[in-house]
Amino acid sequence: MTMTADVLKNNGDSLFVRDWESGQEVQVNLPRPCRLCPGDRVCIRYDGVMTLSLPPQIAAQSVRKLHPC
């Protein structure tokens, strides 16, 4: 499954993003640290599982930058 989102915050081992389609804010747990900054648009590939926590969380399989900040 994929999600297109805007990065709101980079915490090193996770990202806080806003899903471009639904507007929902999600924590994205990363397989490794990445160099993304607030304002970057990304495509996140994940297994489709999202927790019911607040904020919801997903585990990224990969993150690809789509738009510069």
Side-chain angles (χ1 to χ4, degrees), residues 24-66:
Q24 183 175 32
E25 295 180 353
V26 178
Q27 179 177 317
V28 181
N29 299 312
L30 302 170
R32 61 189 168 280
C34 62
R35 293 184 178 189
L36 295 168
C37 60
D40 285 342
R41 181 158 293 162
V42 294
C43 179
I44 303 160
R45 191 167 59 93
Y46 69 106
D47 62 6
V49 176
M50 183 180 292
T51 68
L52 296 176
S53 61
L54 290 176
Q57 297 180 41
I58 61 174
Q61 295 168 337
S62 66
V63 178
R64 182 171 50 98
K65 185 175 176 178
L66 300 175

